[in-house]
């Protein structure tokens, strides 16, 4: 019994994604901007001057609020490198901004109470 596609014509339950990742990124494997999986991206409100494609439009819609590169990759069901290429195109045209993750200072004590409380507070706010 055949089911309807999960997300429009480009995703099929049996076959999976019908458009290959290299097609989505136009064969590119290196983004022009530097991204970490934890880099936060957000739309600037500026519209690209030219139409970039449906995948760029979808990614831009996901960037309404701060969202990580890893979350974008998961939402578009593509490898992280493809998401990074799409995001770098959007950064290049001024449609989104990015902020690298803030690194916590390394502590000699792996059970640093202050750090553990900060993590716990962050989890409580997120849930």
């Amino acid at each position: 019994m055949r089911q309807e596609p999960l997300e429009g014509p480009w995703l099929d339950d049996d076959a999976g994604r019908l458009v290959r990742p290299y097609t989505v990124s136009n064969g590119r494997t290196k983004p022009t901007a530097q991204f970490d999986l934890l880099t936060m991206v957000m739309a600037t409100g500026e519209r690209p001057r030219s139409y970039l494609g449906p995948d760029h439009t979808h990614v831009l819609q996901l960037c309404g609020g701060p969202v990580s590169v890893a979350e974008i990759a998961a939402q578009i069901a593509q490898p992280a490198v493809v998401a990074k290429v799409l995001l770098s195109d959007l950064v290049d045209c001024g449609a989104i901004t990015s902020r690298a993750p803030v690194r916590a200072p390394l502590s000699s004590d792996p059970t640093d109470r202050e750090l553990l409380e900060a993590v716990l507070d962050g989890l409580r706010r997120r849930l």
Side-chain angles (χ1 to χ4, degrees):
M1 180 169 145
R2 181 151 163 44
Q3 294 180 345
E4 291 298 313
L6 295 175
E7 286 184 27
W10 306 117
L11 188 63
D12 181 77
D13 286 339
D14 298 328
R17 188 157 172 96
L18 300 177
V19 177
R20 299 292 175 229
Y22 59 83
T23 305
V24 174
S25 65
N26 291 327
R28 294 173 294 148
T29 59
K30 295 205 186 303
T32 57
Q34 184 69 22
F35 292 107
D36 185 295
L37 287 176
L38 300 177
T39 298
M40 300 300 286
V41 294
M42 186 170 159
T44 61
E46 295 290 322
R47 293 314 233 176
R49 288 173 230 210
S50 63
Y51 180 70
L52 295 173
D55 292 297
H56 289 90
T57 302
H58 184 211
V59 168
L60 185 56
Q61 290 171 347
L62 296 172
C63 295
V67 61
S68 72
V69 171
E71 289 177 73
I72 295 290
Q75 288 290 323
I76 65 172
Q78 289 289 344
V81 69
V82 172
K84 289 177 182 181
V85 168
L86 295 173
L87 288 167
S88 69
D89 292 344
L90 292 169
V91 165
D92 292 344
C93 71
I96 64 170
T97 60
S98 65
R99 183 175 56 89
V102 178
R103 305 282 182 204
L106 295 177
S107 173
S108 59
D109 181 13
T111 59
D112 181 8
R113 183 175 180 88
E114 185 177 324
L115 177 61
L116 293 174
E117 286 178 357
V119 170
L120 183 59
D121 288 342
L123 288 171
R124 284 184 179 145
R125 275 187 254 132
R126 190 84 168 148
L127 302 174

